[in-house]
Amino acid sequence: MKILLTPGPVPVVKEIRNAQTKEMITHRSKEFSELYEDLCTRLKRYLSAEEAYVITGSGALGLETLVLNLCEKEEKVVCFPNGEFGEKLVETVKVYANPEAHTVEAGKGWNIERAKEAIDQSNAQVLAMVYNETGYGVRNHIKEICRYAKSKGMLTIIDGISAWPATELDMKEFGVDGFVTGSQKAIGAPPGMALLGISKEGVEKFTSREFIPSYYCDLRRHKKRYEKDRQTPNTPAISLFWALQKAFDLLDENGGLDACVKRHKNAAAHVRKRLNEMGFSIIAEPGFESNTITGFVCDSAKQAERIKVGLEKSFGIKIVSARGAYKDNGLRIAHMGNFKMSWLDSCLDAIEKIKKEGEE
Amino acid sequence: MKILLTPGPVPVVKEIRNAQTKEMITHRSKEFSELYEDLCTRLKRYLSAEEAYVITGSGALGLETLVLNLCEKEEKVVCFPNGEFGEKLVETVKVYANPEAHTVEAGKGWNIERAKEAIDQSNAQVLAMVYNETGYGVRNHIKEICRYAKSKGMLTIIDGISAWPATELDMKEFGVDGFVTGSQKAIGAPPGMALLGISKEGVEKFTSREFIPSYYCDLRRHKKRYEKDRQTPNTPAISLFWALQKAFDLLDENGGLDACVKRHKNAAAHVRKRLNEMGFSIIAEPGFESNTITGFVCDSAKQAERIKVGLEKSFGIKIVSARGAYKDNGLRIAHMGNFKMSWLDSCLDAIEKIKKEGEE
């Protein structure tokens, strides 16, 4: 077997994979209503959301759904990109509203001290940023930032696609109005679903709008249909919904959110420790390290390539390059979803071996 | 086993269901590129399209993708709704451009004689309509209509979600510029993918635009990424893509498109014949009957309810009500995808029995 240590799609355990193979049902049935109600009810509770929906589509479509429902055309949206996914969020906002982007250098994270002035001066109606910048493995301090932005009357949108459920989140406590994650990330289901949480203020915003610039992603339609009969306005990816239900079951059986966060945090610390011992430096600034993915810097682009190719060819282990400023000499190991610690050690042992061989 | 004779999701055969359970791969891999290239290449050939894409999302999202890429804000779009799905198309167009809708009474179909005057007088830039109106089981004569509209310089968008591959289609010959179908319909895969075909003129339209009002659905991004490495711009529903590949394999193994159309046409004729023999009338006007779904009129709403509930409770057979004007006294039997003729006969035998019991 090939060990997949990539930041989503992550390996999907057999129980979840097999959940996709039930005999098909129609989405206009009591059976589907029960399935969807279970998913939304649990998701709402997990996130501390006012409402929760599962959208058939990539995580990116879920993020776009938040943006187009919560941001109006003439509104300003203050954004804090610090890597590729933060920049994609700015691109998405650009389609629907007016982004004002502030950046920090590659590997640095956003905290309230760094973001405060921009928030104060922006006069923005909305703040939008990523929780976990997958491209570098940097975790932004969204709790302090969102709470502050909300105290200024803004709505807050968080791309938590590669963060949840491996990183702390409580929408109410964190002051998050729109949250999205992807099914193929730390929850460990197959790709194809975006999981959304919306706060009370977020619901007030989209329900009070007269025009929302999408049909499929118009949350008024999702809300209306859910309230009618716990169904979706369009045909959902039913087999994937079964897989997600199984993934939620496993999350609950394995100790719930706290245990999941702890497992990821410990794995991340272990990976960083071993990489440091080998002499690699971590891309993320201390205090901003990701729970789900660790980016590290190689001596050269050549060494990075040798490690990546060597892992795949000689050990059957797949990791990926870093992005942006570190795309040539940086690599990333994901510890996301249903990984095993032994996989990480196999990967780290192999990196050590390849590194030494290169030095001989 | 419950027999599902609903118009999508349709029953998914075991081979296709099991194709979803392979060990997960990343979409940034050679293996995925090969999978996606195979799907797009075959889809292009099946449809006679210039370009083809698979979008992760419902069929409705695929239709919206066509609309937002091929219609500009100030453009007029002439639409010919004749049922619920035609009306949903008008709603979708309304988000992005200016629809001008013409209607006929419930059960009637559109042909060129009926549509010509509206096309002539519309001065529209785009024509958009459904091929197979699922709500009543009516097949519109899109070939003559689209060819005429194209001769007038219009682009044409066809919602073929419940039609393909069970109904004749050749985008070049039919003059169709944007075509969409859903994975959970007659191709017999699970729901969650929209299959798109675009003509040369369609490609020229979206590539020449400076602004497209979506990020996820912007076909310029899909085209660019496909041309780069045969991948998708965002994470696709990989397990569903495997299922679609298997569904394409089965289509090819079972004689291809012609055999598929013939099988559906024969099943439709058989269902109509037996319903007529029982004294039911067909909702669709003669000459406009659907290949994939037959709507029929019961004596009363009470009889319709008795048949629908009786089929499910006593025979484990699921059919659905008609929509719109026939929602109370109309029922629909789908003969779509990997159904068996014996299922249809079981259903028809049961209807006959329930009908007789009601008359005693």
Side-chain angles (χ1 to χ4, degrees):
Chain A
M1 182 214 150
K2 183 176 273 189
I3 297 180
L4 202 61
L5 297 176
T6 56
V10 300
V12 179
V13 298
K14 206 165 181 178
E15 264 178 286
I16 298 177
R17 291 207 304 270
N18 287 346
Q20 299 173 94
T21 63
K22 291 189 203 178
E23 289 208 9
M24 191 47 63
I25 58 169
T26 158
H27 59 300
R28 300 299 178 221
S29 66
K30 197 167 157 279
E31 203 176 343
F32 178 75
S33 295
E34 286 167 4
L35 166 64
Y36 192 47
E37 182 170 27
D38 176 46
L39 293 179
C40 293
T41 305
R42 283 204 261 181
L43 187 56
K44 233 167 77 170
R45 195 180 65 230
Y46 293 147
L47 302 176
S48 284
E50 178 76 10
E51 294 186 0
Y53 300 99
V54 181
I55 307 283
T56 296
S58 306
L61 183 68
L63 182 58
E64 185 158 350
T65 298
L66 293 178
V67 168
L68 70 89
N69 278 278
L70 301 184
C71 307
E72 296 194 59
K73 203 175 157 60
E74 65 286 354
E75 289 180 338
K76 191 191 265 190
V77 182
V78 63
C79 301
F80 296 97
N82 52 337
E84 184 177 322
F85 290 89
E87 283 154 21
K88 284 186 180 180
L89 172 51
V90 175
E91 288 305 307
T92 305
V93 171
K94 214 175 268 177
V95 175
Y96 299 100
N98 304 306
E100 177 187 290
H102 299 267
T103 53
V104 284
E105 79 187 91
K108 294 256 183 275
W110 282 104
N111 59 16
I112 184 61
E113 289 72 30
R114 291 174 186 166
K116 189 172 178 297
E117 195 182 328
I119 293 172
D120 286 340
Q121 296 185 349
S122 70
N123 281 318
Q125 285 76 36
V126 184
L127 175 145
M129 65 187 296
V130 302
Y131 193 171
N132 189 65
E133 174 48 61
T134 327
Y136 296 132
V138 170
R139 179 179 46 81
N140 292 311
H141 296 186
I142 61 159
K143 181 176 169 181
E144 294 72 23
I145 294 174
C146 289
R147 286 173 68 103
Y148 184 71
K150 275 202 70 100
S151 78
K152 295 270 165 179
M154 296 180 191
L155 283 181
T156 60
I157 294 175
I158 293 297
D159 167 354
I161 294 175
S162 69
W164 192 86
T167 320
E168 297 85 349
L169 178 82
D170 181 301
M171 287 180 68
K172 273 189 198 136
E173 194 194 328
F174 280 43
V176 175
D177 294 305
F179 186 82
V180 59
T181 189
S183 56
Q184 81 283 15
K185 301 288 183 180
I187 188 66
M193 293 168 285
L195 283 50
L196 299 189
I198 321 280
S199 74
K200 194 163 166 285
E201 291 84 354
V203 172
E204 278 163 12
K205 172 76 178 234
F206 79 75
T207 52
S208 68
R209 290 179 65 181
E210 281 188 17
F211 174 73
I212 285 181
S214 173
Y215 182 72
Y216 185 80
C217 302
D218 181 346
L219 286 176
R220 296 172 308 184
R221 292 180 64 236
H222 289 263
K223 180 180 172 66
K224 196 174 157 191
R225 187 76 209 212
Y226 186 79
E227 285 172 357
K228 185 186 165 202
D229 54 14
R230 306 295 187 250
Q231 294 178 3
T232 55
N234 297 106
T235 316
I238 298 171
S239 60
L240 299 183
F241 279 41
W242 282 319
L244 183 62
Q245 189 176 44
K246 180 54 72 180
F248 281 179
D249 289 347
L250 293 181
L251 176 68
D252 292 343
E253 284 165 24
N254 292 321
L257 289 172
D258 289 348
C260 183
V261 169
K262 197 173 161 196
R263 188 170 67 87
H264 281 84
K265 206 177 267 186
N266 288 345
H270 178 72
V271 168
R272 287 197 301 274
K273 182 167 170 284
R274 285 208 54 190
L275 287 169
N276 281 330
E277 284 166 2
M278 290 180 223
F280 293 110
S281 63
I282 303 302
I283 295 175
E285 178 185 6
F288 295 87
E289 298 97 338
S290 163
N291 285 2
T292 54
I293 184 158
T294 298
F296 62 100
V297 190
C298 299
D299 294 340
S300 64
K302 216 172 138 186
Q303 188 194 46
E305 185 68 12
R306 197 167 54 237
I307 291 173
K308 197 175 86 164
V309 172
L311 280 175
E312 185 156 8
K313 290 215 165 149
S314 308
F315 299 89
I317 298 171
K318 175 96 179 156
I319 69 168
V320 291
S321 297
R323 299 287 181 94
Y326 291 98
K327 74 179 169 53
D328 295 322
N329 65 339
L331 293 174
R332 293 177 297 160
I333 300 172
H335 24 84
M336 187 186 281
N338 296 308
F339 63 87
K340 290 183 181 139
M341 285 302 283
S342 62
W343 297 353
L344 296 175
D345 277 318
S346 298
C347 175
L348 292 157
D349 292 346
I351 290 175
E352 195 159 16
K353 210 168 160 190
I354 297 167
K355 182 175 184 284
K356 274 192 190 142
E357 281 166 7
E359 287 158 0
E360 276 162 10
Chain B
M1 181 215 151
K2 183 175 273 190
I3 297 180
L4 202 62
L5 297 176
T6 56
V10 300
V12 179
V13 297
K14 206 166 182 179
E15 265 178 285
I16 297 177
R17 292 208 304 271
N18 287 346
Q20 298 173 94
T21 63
K22 291 188 203 179
E23 290 207 9
M24 192 46 65
I25 58 170
T26 158
H27 59 300
R28 301 299 178 219
S29 65
K30 198 168 156 279
E31 203 176 343
F32 178 75
S33 295
E34 285 167 5
L35 166 64
Y36 192 47
E37 182 170 28
D38 176 46
L39 293 179
C40 293
T41 305
R42 283 204 261 181
L43 187 56
K44 233 167 77 171
R45 195 180 66 230
Y46 293 146
L47 301 175
S48 283
E50 178 75 11
E51 294 186 0
Y53 300 99
V54 181
I55 307 284
T56 296
S58 306
L61 183 68
L63 182 58
E64 185 159 350
T65 298
L66 292 178
V67 168
L68 70 88
N69 278 277
L70 301 183
C71 306
E72 297 194 59
K73 203 175 158 61
E74 66 285 355
E75 289 181 338
K76 191 192 265 189
V77 182
V78 63
C79 300
F80 296 97
N82 53 337
E84 184 177 323
F85 290 88
E87 283 154 22
K88 283 186 181 181
L89 172 51
V90 175
E91 288 305 307
T92 305
V93 171
K94 214 175 269 176
V95 176
Y96 299 100
N98 304 306
E100 177 188 290
H102 300 267
T103 53
V104 286
E105 78 186 271
K108 294 257 183 273
W110 282 103
N111 60 16
I112 183 61
E113 289 72 30
R114 292 174 186 166
K116 188 172 178 296
E117 196 181 327
I119 293 172
D120 286 340
Q121 295 184 350
S122 70
N123 281 318
Q125 284 77 36
V126 183
L127 176 146
M129 65 187 295
V130 302
Y131 193 170
N132 188 66
E133 175 47 62
T134 327
Y136 296 132
V138 170
R139 179 179 46 81
N140 292 312
H141 295 187
I142 61 159
K143 182 176 169 181
E144 294 71 24
I145 294 174
C146 289
R147 286 173 67 103
Y148 184 71
K150 275 203 71 99
S151 78
K152 295 271 166 179
M154 296 180 191
L155 283 182
T156 61
I157 293 175
I158 293 297
D159 168 353
I161 293 174
S162 70
W164 192 86
T167 320
E168 297 85 348
L169 178 82
D170 181 301
M171 287 180 68
K172 274 190 196 135
E173 194 194 327
F174 280 42
V176 175
D177 294 305
F179 186 82
V180 59
T181 189
S183 56
Q184 81 283 16
K185 301 287 183 180
I187 189 66
M193 294 168 285
L195 283 51
L196 299 189
I198 322 279
S199 74
K200 194 163 166 287
E201 291 83 355
V203 172
E204 278 163 13
K205 173 76 177 236
F206 79 74
T207 52
S208 68
R209 290 179 65 181
E210 282 188 17
F211 174 73
I212 285 181
S214 172
Y215 182 72
Y216 185 79
C217 302
D218 181 346
L219 286 176
R220 296 172 306 183
R221 292 180 64 237
H222 289 263
K223 180 181 172 66
K224 197 174 156 190
R225 188 75 209 213
Y226 187 79
E227 286 172 356
K228 185 186 165 202
D229 54 13
R230 304 297 187 250
Q231 294 178 3
T232 55
N234 297 107
T235 315
I238 298 171
S239 60
L240 299 182
F241 279 41
W242 282 320
L244 183 62
Q245 188 176 45
K246 180 54 74 181
F248 281 179
D249 289 347
L250 293 181
L251 176 68
D252 293 343
E253 283 165 24
N254 293 322
L257 289 172
D258 289 348
C260 183
V261 170
K262 198 174 159 194
R263 187 170 67 87
H264 282 84
K265 206 177 267 185
N266 289 345
H270 178 72
V271 169
R272 287 196 302 273
K273 183 167 170 284
R274 285 207 56 189
L275 287 169
N276 281 331
E277 284 166 2
M278 290 181 223
F280 293 110
S281 63
I282 304 301
I283 295 175
E285 179 186 6
F288 294 88
E289 298 97 338
S290 163
N291 285 2
T292 54
I293 184 157
T294 298
F296 62 99
V297 190
C298 299
D299 294 341
S300 63
K302 215 172 138 187
Q303 188 194 46
E305 185 68 11
R306 198 168 53 237
I307 291 173
K308 199 175 85 164
V309 172
L311 280 175
E312 186 156 8
K313 291 215 166 149
S314 308
F315 299 90
I317 298 171
K318 175 97 179 156
I319 69 169
V320 291
S321 297
R323 299 286 182 95
Y326 291 98
K327 74 179 169 54
D328 295 322
N329 65 339
L331 294 174
R332 294 177 295 160
I333 300 173
H335 23 84
M336 188 186 280
N338 297 308
F339 63 88
K340 290 184 181 139
M341 285 302 283
S342 62
W343 297 353
L344 297 176
D345 277 318
S346 298
C347 175
L348 292 158
D349 292 346
I351 290 175
E352 196 159 14
K353 210 169 160 189
I354 298 167
K355 183 175 183 283
K356 274 191 189 143
E357 282 167 6
E359 287 158 1
E360 276 162 10

